[in-house]
Amino acid sequence: MTRKRAGCARGVARALAVRGAVATAAMAAVAAPLGVSTSASLAVSLVMPQAALAADTTPIAPAEKLLFLTPHLHGVASQTELDYSLVVSAPPEKSTDRVRVLVASDDNAKSDATVSDASGKVTVPGDLPCNPIILYFLERDIAEMEQLTGGQRRYFQQRVRLALAAGPPITDATAQVDGKPVKARKIVIQPYLNDPNAARFPKYTSKRYTFVLADGVPGGVSLLLTEVPGDNGDFTHPVKTESVSFETSVRKLSPPARGAPSTPKTPSNAPRASR
């Protein structure tokens, strides 16, 4: 990783890890549109400019490092397409889609991997060494929470950030690649479980996020999952689940250099076909 890229990645990761008084003030500011009255929101404009400085001295949690600062695409050749299955299930309805990550440069060294789904190319935050499928998944979820609840996007972003910054355990798990088990690591968070504003969206209070990552899976990501449980936190009968799971990797031919022929010319001494 270049010094410039590493510095940028650290800066973004630190922004993800805002804690303490800065995080509290930020949460207070975005809580206001949810109907929560707070005097802290008046001071947030003074506190937020110091967020990067405050976060800079705070250790980044292992869960954050694993998700956002790990070069998951290391070892993936240029012009490789990683295919993921997107499944949204809200019984009795179920929909599926395919999400593609195109790794344009070897190891994604140029941070130029792109994401596309049925809608076409999708813009995700850049300058992080992680597999952009993680950012796609979280951005999609946060946008959906905003739409479903009427809350602010920043509020849900902050809840997820704080849940990861709190240091959730990373446990051993197993993933499947071509029908074979590989060692994996799993992170589980419930960002709204102790949210003081959860009464505004009780349906999602126990919503659970699961991240399964494995070095033996091309691109490092095996499964990303959200679950909205049924009554009384019943995860065996969820009312809605959304998952992104690895399917396969496809090696594509590199595009020909500019001006180069796409097919080789017939050698001059090759036998000619009879007329």
Side-chain angles (χ1 to χ4, degrees):
M1 185 185 299
T2 65
R3 181 177 300 177
K4 179 179 179 181
R5 183 182 175 199
C8 187
R10 285 193 295 269
V12 176
R14 286 165 182 161
L16 289 169
V18 174
R19 298 168 175 82
V22 174
T24 301
M27 285 296 297
V30 296
L34 292 172
V36 180
S37 175
T38 172
S39 59
S41 63
L42 299 176
V44 74
S45 60
L46 300 176
V47 177
M48 285 303 290
Q50 302 174 33
L53 179 61
D56 187 58
T57 60
T58 306
I60 299 172
E64 295 173 294
K65 291 180 181 179
L66 180 58
L67 288 176
F68 304 117
L69 287 182
T70 301
H72 303 121
L73 299 176
H74 181 77
V76 180
S78 65
Q79 296 303 310
T80 297
E81 179 183 281
L82 304 176
D83 290 353
Y84 299 85
S85 175
L86 169 63
V87 179
V88 180
S89 178
E93 298 180 357
K94 184 177 181 179
S95 64
T96 61
D97 189 9
R98 177 167 290 178
V99 185
R100 298 176 171 87
V101 173
L102 180 61
V103 182
S105 57
D106 287 334
D107 302 325
N108 193 36
K110 298 180 180 179
S111 297
D112 50 2
T114 57
V115 183
S116 61
D117 58 17
S119 66
K121 187 176 179 180
V122 181
T123 301
V124 297
D127 297 318
L128 282 171
C130 65
N131 186 333
I133 194 67
I134 298 173
L135 305 175
Y136 168 89
F137 177 77
L138 290 174
E139 288 288 307
R140 173 188 168 87
D141 173 77
I142 289 167
E144 184 177 70
M145 287 294 292
E146 180 183 42
Q147 180 182 10
L148 292 174
T149 66
Q152 269 201 356
R153 183 184 189 90
R154 283 178 57 206
Y155 186 85
F156 300 113
Q157 286 176 329
Q158 195 68 10
R159 289 308 306 182
V160 172
R161 290 170 182 173
L162 290 175
L164 291 170
I170 301 174
T171 59
D172 292 335
T174 301
Q176 295 288 326
V177 179
D178 296 329
K180 298 178 181 179
V182 296
K183 292 182 180 180
R185 290 164 290 178
K186 182 169 70 173
I187 301 168
V188 179
I189 59 172
Q190 291 179 278
Y192 315 112
L193 196 58
N194 299 309
D195 186 349
N197 303 306
R200 299 300 302 268
F201 41 91
K203 180 179 178 181
Y204 303 99
T205 300
S206 298
K207 185 175 181 179
R208 186 165 66 188
Y209 295 66
T210 300
F211 308 85
V212 180
L213 299 100
D215 293 337
V217 174
V221 177
S222 176
L223 174 69
L224 307 171
L225 170 70
T226 60
E227 303 165 277
V228 179
D231 295 338
N232 301 316
D234 183 5
F235 282 101
T236 60
H237 300 91
V239 296
K240 187 174 184 179
T241 64
E242 295 195 26
S243 66
V244 170
S245 56
F246 175 77
E247 279 192 339
T248 188
S249 63
V250 180
R251 182 76 168 91
K252 294 190 170 185
L253 294 177
S254 299
R258 182 174 297 180
S262 57
T263 57
K265 294 182 179 180
T266 303
S268 58
N269 61 347
R272 299 181 180 180
S274 58
R275 298 180 182 268

